Structures are given as structure tokens and as C-alpha cells.
Amino acid sequence: MKILVCISQVPDTSTKIVLKNNNTSVSSDGVTYVLNPYDEWYALIRAIELKESGIATEIHLITVGKADVEPVMRKALALGGDEAIRIDAESSDAYETAGYIAAYAAQVGYDLILCGKESIDYNNGTTGTMLAGLLDMDYIGFATDIQIESGAALVKREIEGGEETDTCNLPLVISCQKGVAEARIPNMRGIMAARTRPLKVIVPSKITAVTEILTYELPPAKAGIKLVSPDDMDGLVALLHTEARVI
Amino acid sequence: MSVIVLVEHTGGVIKKKNFEAVQYASQIAKKAGTTVTALVLGTVTETEMEGLGQYGAQKVLHIADARLDEFHARAYSSALVAAAEKETAKIIVTLHDIGGRMVAPRVAVQLKAGLVAGALSYPDTEKGFVIKKAVFSGKAFAYVNILSDTKVIMLMPNTFPATKQEGKAVVERLDISFSEKDFVVKVKSVNKVTGEVSLADAELVVSGGRGMKGPENWGILEDLAKELGAATACSRPVADSHWRPHHEHVGQTGGTVRPNLYIAVGISGAIQHLAGVNGSKTIVVINKDPEAPFFKAANYGVVGDAMEVLPRLTAAVRKFKEQHK
């Protein structure tokens, strides 16, 4: 069984967002880039577990980006994975990203495609669904548990107010979130091994984005906190009613 | 040409957030000089569907196929594409919720349509078709222009309130032939947590952190939640220590909530936690440490011990409810 894991490089959670060029782009000065946590902790680690338990035979990691994403791909390889693929393009929307990955995946053929439920930079959570659409594959989103048995997946996924268990024959695209796997950190052996694993660079297929970001904006500063004495909870309730109008 | 909006329901009951989507779509249609058609799938009563007229839908397309009583992402996508084609709709609206997120992107690639996930504004048609959305987990907003002829908008729930007006939609039956592929994913079992307010839909949330000291102290937090009709949530360390179930974890690696009121009790406010809650309209922080970073992100703060403050707040809410009966 061959697994493709979709990886996105994102600014570290603690990054302070600074806008530049008249608010038309986000500054990368001093920004530390990391593996998107949902891709790493859940999708990639689950793929590795499936290989360790002998169910998966091969894991490929794929990303879309220029050469500057390679350190993050090496870090991903240090956790596990047999091969990394970088589609050499600067994508401007999920449609373009999904298009590049789908074109490559269609050529190779994968039994299972895993991605995180969303990336923490653009918070779309659309790439996995789009990939399934483009590849005419089935899709299960928001998985919290993934088991594979004799060519079929048994997947627990979040639904509103609970969870649902789905079954589906492979091939399948699944987006992963908390519960799918436990976070790990790369060990020395992995880091050494990652150095020699192949990182293929692929020329992108011809795809044009269907959206563009015109400008960015930072949220207005909070007006400032109102402190309420712990002895005056009636006062707090009154504020929530008359001022915030939430109760 | 019309605007089409996907309306999901839970066992035949249409929820408030779906009314928000219908009304949002109807505002867009009004501006474009066209009408709104709502797409309803599975078993729903005529009255429930006609009621969408109160939120601006002129017409409801109803695909009554009982297989659609269960959520099937692929079948729902096929249905939405078929309905959009029938209505020659150039604008398709869904919610940015679990169902919408499993359907809309598939529809978008099928129709080669640009999509905005988590729309926070109406499209600005002055300079194209520009919609605001949150990026970097709420640390910034982006103004996204959809370039394609057909456009898909996934509206963030709890962004625009739905207000009822006079109106009755005309229900029209639509029959489409699904392919076997549309039902390949089989639903084996559904496990709904009953009797509690669902976190994703909650307008009020009471959330606890390590400052609650242990799972045995959650009773007083649940008392407050019950009094308010709020859902309960928790921080990551609390879920990781198994004080609370994982589905209650909100933050960067857990769930995201956007309630009207988020009350954080004994949560320091790490940036990862804030990423999951900063879309909340009002934030109240209760913490005995006045230096807790969460106070910087809060609208109201109470410096005090949760064990003492919580019962007092619950009593105050009870008193308020008595007075406002």
C-alpha cells in the first residue's frame, strides 16, 4: 500500500504577522517556518505508524513550493517517509496547489492520500477535498482515527455534536486531526537517514489560480480589558447583558 | 441565473446557521438582481422547506432521495453541481462547517470555480468579487478576489445574524440520478453526544484550563455552563491529561470556536490556545494570576480563584435569569 502525505510549510504559531508592500503581502523576515502541525502530528505520523505495522509499504511526502521549503521537507523525512517530492511552484491558492498534487498523484497512483485538516496559515482546509475531486477519489474529512484492514479504511470522523464511523475501500483521501496519531519528535537515526533520502523536484503542470489575495489587514487592537472585582459577579453579568449584549 | 445555497438539516430540522447562509445568499442575490434557490437533500417536511422563504429564499429545490438522510460528501457534491447547473447559478453558497467543508471544495474543482473558505463579508463587487476571510488563525485578514466566472463562498457561521421576515418559498422537486460512486463511503455508526450543547455550534462556551486543578473540580464549571446554556471546552494540557475528553480541546491543534461569549477559566492563554478562540465576539478571562497573557486578549477579566469565582458567577447568572423571565 502506497501512501502520499501532503505537507505544507507554515509560519510557526508564535509568529507575529507583519504586513509589507502596502499591505499586499506578509513579511517573511525573521519568521520561523515549520511543518503544518495537522500535516505533521496527525497525517505524517499516522502514515509512519501504518508502515511500522506493516500495512503500508511506501510513504511519499509531497509539497508545493520553491527551494526554501526544503529544510522543512528534510525535517519531515527525519520523522519518516521514503521519498519527498517538491513541486517547484509558488502556488497562490488551494485550487492551484491541489491541481499540482493531483497531476503528480495521478501519474504515480496512491492507495491512500493523507493531509492535515487545514494549514494554519490560510486556514482553508480545502486541499484534501479538492484533491479527491480532481482525482475522482472518495474523501473523508476531519478523521480522529484511521484503521486500514484488507484494502479498506475504517475511519472515525468528527461530526457536529459527536462522531461517526465510516468504512470505505481504498483508494481514499483523508484529512486528519487530533486523535489520529500521537505527536513524536525525530530521533538522531531519522535525522541522519533523512539526509540521504531522495527529495525530487518536479516541474509543475500548467494550472492557473482562480483566486488572488488583493490585500491583508491586521485585526484592530482590543479596546482594552475591563476588570471586574471577583466579589461583583452581578456586575459582570450586567456588563455581559447591557454592554457586550451576549446574554 | 440565480444564487444557490446548500441547506443541511439534522433529522429534518434546519438549524439557525443554515438560515444565516440563506439570508447571506439572498442579500447577494438582491444586489445582483437575481433570486435565491435553496437546495435541500433528504427527508424534510414541506413546511420546514417553505420556511426558508422567511430568510429570503424564493425557491427550494428538494431532492427527496432517502439515501441523502445520511451525509454523503460525494452525493451532496453531485447534487449541488446538478442544482447549480439546473439553475445556471454562478454563485454557490455553503457554510464553512464540517459538512460544507467536505462538499464545497469538491464542487469548486468540478465547476472550475474560485472559492473563499470562511467568508466574513459580503462580496465587494467594486473591484472584482472580493471577500474578507481570517488567515494565520485569526492574526490577520485577507481580502480574496475570485477570478473565475462561477464562484463558491463558504460562509463562516455566526458571522451575520439571521432575521426572520414574512415569506414562503416555493418547493420544487428535483430528481437526479446518482452514480454508485456517490455512496461508496458507508456510514457504519453515528455516536452523538446527547444532552449537551454542541461545541461547534455553541453561542456560549465555558472553557477550563489547568487552573481548575483537577477533573474533580469540573462540576462547578459545568454548573455555570448549564445555567448559561453553554457548551464546555478545555485547553490542551487538560485534554492531554485526560481530565476532559479530546473533543473538548480548543486551540491550534484542537478545535476552533467562534461563539458570542467565551469564558476562559484558569487558562493562561498560550498563543496556541488563542488561535482556536480569537474569533469569539466577547472573551471573559477568570484567572488568579493577574499576569496571565490571556488578559491581554480579553474584553472582561476577573482576577480571582476559579473555585470561588465560578459558583458566584453561576449564582449571578441564575439571579439575572429570574429577573429577566
Side-chain angles (χ1 to χ4, degrees):
Chain A
M1 186 181 79
K2 239 173 164 170
I3 305 181
L4 181 67
V5 182
C6 304
I7 304 269
S8 184
Q9 157 175 303
V10 296
D12 176 59
T13 313
S14 59
T15 304
K16 185 177 186 316
I17 302 298
V18 176
L19 305 180
K20 62 175 192 182
N21 301 334
N22 207 12
N23 296 339
T24 55
S25 57
V26 177
S27 173
S28 56
D29 292 347
V31 174
T32 308
Y33 287 93
V34 296
L35 271 165
N36 180 45
Y38 295 104
D39 303 347
E40 174 185 354
W41 293 3
Y42 309 127
L44 174 57
I45 304 294
R46 186 62 194 136
I48 294 165
E49 289 173 355
L50 286 170
K51 195 177 172 194
E52 285 169 350
S53 58
I55 295 165
T57 49
E58 215 174 328
I59 303 172
H60 290 181
L61 317 179
I62 194 164
T63 194
V64 176
K66 302 305 276 183
D68 58 348
V69 306
E70 290 194 358
V72 162
M73 289 309 274
R74 287 275 171 224
K75 200 201 153 196
L77 280 173
L79 284 158
D82 302 291
E83 180 178 313
I85 300 120
R86 175 171 70 82
I87 314 261
D88 190 27
E90 227 157 346
S91 169
S92 47
D93 69 2
Y95 182 86
E96 198 184 336
T97 304
Y100 293 138
I101 297 176
Y104 184 83
Q107 276 174 26
V108 179
Y110 292 95
D111 305 292
L112 184 62
I113 300 180
L114 298 179
C115 55
K117 76 159 179 179
E118 69 180 54
S119 66
I120 63 166
D121 49 4
Y122 289 95
N123 307 110
N124 290 319
T126 48
T127 306
T129 328
M130 285 184 176
L131 264 179
L134 292 167
L135 293 164
D136 196 28
M137 282 166 78
D138 280 296
Y139 175 75
I140 297 176
F142 307 96
T144 54
D145 186 69
I146 302 169
Q147 304 300 330
I148 308 285
E149 254 175 66
S150 46
L154 185 68
V155 181
K156 277 197 186 125
R157 73 170 184 96
E158 184 188 344
I159 57 171
E160 255 144 46
E163 68 177 20
E164 175 180 296
T165 306
D166 295 341
T167 55
C168 186
N169 288 333
L170 302 180
L172 180 66
V173 181
I174 305 176
S175 85
C176 305
Q177 62 172 344
K178 190 164 186 152
V180 161
E182 291 288 332
R184 307 183 174 184
I185 46 166
N187 57 27
M188 210 48 211
R189 223 178 96 216
I191 293 165
M192 298 304 284
R195 289 186 184 168
T196 56
R197 291 206 183 113
L199 203 164
K200 279 202 226 164
V201 180
I202 302 288
V203 178
S205 43
K206 271 215 171 355
I207 293 158
T208 316
V210 282
T211 63
E212 59 179 357
I213 294 179
L214 299 181
T215 51
Y216 291 89
E217 179 182 280
L218 296 177
K222 279 265 177 191
I225 185 169
K226 242 183 211 175
L227 284 177
V228 180
S229 155
D231 300 317
D232 185 22
M233 287 302 98
D234 289 329
L236 177 60
V237 171
L239 282 169
L240 293 176
H241 178 62
T242 56
E243 193 178 82
R245 294 166 187 261
V246 288
I247 54 174
Chain B
M1 202 200 93
S2 73
V3 176
I4 197 142
V5 54
L6 174 66
V7 175
E8 284 196 66
H9 58 90
T10 313
V13 181
I14 300 171
K15 286 189 186 166
K16 192 196 79 177
K17 63 178 179 176
N18 297 102
F19 299 143
E20 292 169 11
V22 172
Q23 195 156 22
Y24 176 81
S26 93
Q27 294 294 331
I28 294 174
K30 211 177 274 174
K31 216 180 151 197
T34 180
T35 57
V36 175
T37 302
L39 174 67
V40 176
L41 309 171
T43 314
V44 188
T45 64
E46 203 80 1
T47 327
E48 191 76 5
M49 290 190 282
E50 284 170 355
L52 293 174
Q54 296 167 328
Y55 301 95
Q58 280 83 2
K59 180 168 146 189
V60 172
L61 279 179
H62 181 214
I63 306 179
D65 195 320
R67 288 177 294 177
L68 302 174
D69 290 348
E70 275 177 351
F71 178 83
H72 288 280
R74 220 159 152 165
Y76 278 37
S77 306
S78 303
L80 190 48
V81 169
E85 279 167 359
K86 182 179 184 292
E87 298 292 296
T88 57
K90 291 290 172 207
I91 300 171
I92 298 166
V93 176
T94 72
L95 283 167
H96 188 73
D97 60 359
I98 290 179
R101 292 171 79 177
M102 286 177 70
V103 171
R106 188 168 198 122
V107 169
V109 290
Q110 252 173 286
L111 300 174
K112 295 195 168 38
L115 165 153
V116 173
L120 294 176
S121 76
Y122 284 102
D124 178 353
T125 48
E126 296 271 308
K127 285 183 208 128
F129 197 88
V130 185
I131 296 172
K132 180 184 180 182
K133 67 159 288 183
V135 290
F136 301 103
S137 305
K139 284 191 283 187
F141 298 103
Y143 288 84
V144 185
N145 185 24
I146 302 184
L147 302 164
S148 53
D149 189 28
T150 304
K151 297 155 173 77
V152 178
I153 310 172
M154 300 162 70
L155 172 68
M156 190 65 96
N158 205 18
T159 303
F160 298 105
T163 43
K164 226 186 218 183
Q165 280 162 355
E166 285 292 307
K168 195 169 163 187
V170 178
V171 180
E172 192 181 294
R173 178 130 177 187
L174 176 66
D175 287 304
I176 69 163
S177 48
F178 290 100
S179 108
E180 260 175 50
K181 278 183 176 176
D182 287 324
F183 299 96
V184 170
V185 178
K186 298 269 179 284
V187 181
K188 210 176 154 219
S189 63
V190 174
N191 181 14
K192 285 219 181 199
V193 186
T194 47
E196 285 175 39
V197 181
S198 151
L199 192 52
D201 282 337
E203 290 179 27
L204 309 171
V205 174
V206 181
S207 187
R210 261 182 303 196
M212 289 295 293
K213 294 191 187 83
E216 66 280 5
N217 295 326
W218 241 262
I220 51 170
L221 192 146
E222 282 170 335
D223 288 345
L224 174 62
K226 198 174 263 177
E227 204 58 53
L228 283 168
T232 52
C234 70
S235 67
R236 183 171 167 212
V238 165
D240 284 353
S241 316
H242 305 289
W243 292 2
R244 301 294 295 173
H246 274 299
H247 69 254
E248 282 200 2
H249 163 200
V250 293
Q252 187 75 86
T253 50
T256 305
V257 293
R258 304 180 76 256
N260 292 335
L261 174 62
Y262 185 80
I263 302 180
V265 188
I267 303 177
S268 64
I271 193 144
Q272 288 81 356
H273 186 77
L274 297 184
V277 307
N278 61 16
S280 308
K281 295 206 172 93
T282 300
I283 294 177
V284 173
V285 169
I286 300 170
N287 204 304
K288 66 175 180 191
D289 174 12
E291 300 298 319
F294 215 153
F295 283 118
K296 288 200 180 74
N299 304 88
Y300 302 100
V302 179
V303 180
D305 188 338
M307 304 308 138
E308 289 163 23
V309 175
L310 271 177
R312 271 184 226 153
L313 180 54
T314 307
V317 171
R318 192 174 299 134
K319 193 164 121 196
F320 170 83
K321 278 165 69 185
E322 300 265 308
Q323 286 162 355
H324 289 80
K325 253 184 195 162

